[in-house]
Amino acid sequence: MIRIMLLGLVLFGMWSSGTLSWRQFHSGEACPILDLVPVCYLVFTGYLTMLCAIILRTWRPLFYWLFWVGLFMVGVLALIGSVFEFIKGPICPRTFGWIPMCYLSLVFSLLIALLNVLVTRSKK
């Protein structure tokens, strides 16, 4: 059950960041830019990396580190975005019309980390 929840959160994060990335690709104004790369592209890449790690580590535990790389990327970007959102005001894209997506991504990152630890411990 925990594995399904973990996969569901990763897929939902990938879907939401993918939707935002698609809007960014078409309009160029959907998410903040970090240097030359839109942040939503980086977040999508992080969720995609986590999904690949979940799929690949069923065959080889070697891919366990890949999950943490993706989670680190998403978590750090969400933390930085949340801090800037809190200090400077609205910089993150909104969902449901009022919730900053960086706040949701930070919560998702923490939940995904917790679920991954629980999945890893249940294997031992």
Side-chain angles (χ1 to χ4, degrees):
M1 182 64 163
I2 296 173
R3 290 174 206 247
I4 294 170
M5 290 171 52
L6 175 64
L7 184 60
L9 282 175
V10 169
L11 286 173
F12 183 77
M14 195 170 133
W15 173 77
S16 59
S17 63
T19 303
L20 192 60
S21 295
W22 185 256
R23 282 196 345 229
Q24 174 68 26
F25 181 73
H26 285 289
S27 71
E29 300 176 355
C31 61
I33 307 291
L34 182 65
D35 202 16
L36 296 174
V37 180
V39 173
C40 51
Y41 293 178
L42 297 173
V43 172
F44 178 76
T45 304
Y47 279 115
L48 182 63
T49 303
M50 284 187 268
L51 179 65
C52 290
I54 288 170
I55 293 168
L56 292 174
R57 78 174 171 199
T58 58
W59 293 297
R60 301 205 81 179
L62 174 68
F63 292 103
Y64 180 77
W65 64 270
L66 190 61
F67 181 88
W68 290 106
V69 169
L71 183 62
F72 181 77
M73 187 181 338
V74 171
V76 166
L77 289 170
L79 180 63
I80 291 169
S82 296
V83 168
F84 279 124
E85 179 80 21
F86 186 74
I87 293 172
K88 291 185 145 196
I91 61 165
C92 296
R94 303 284 190 240
T95 186
F96 305 118
W98 61 280
I99 301 173
M101 288 185 83
C102 50
Y103 291 172
L104 291 178
S105 193
L106 183 60
V107 170
F108 273 31
S109 297
L110 294 172
L111 285 174
I112 288 170
L114 176 68
L115 290 174
N116 189 52
V117 168
L118 291 174
V119 165
T120 305
R121 285 191 179 169
S122 69
K123 284 183 178 181
K124 290 181 180 180

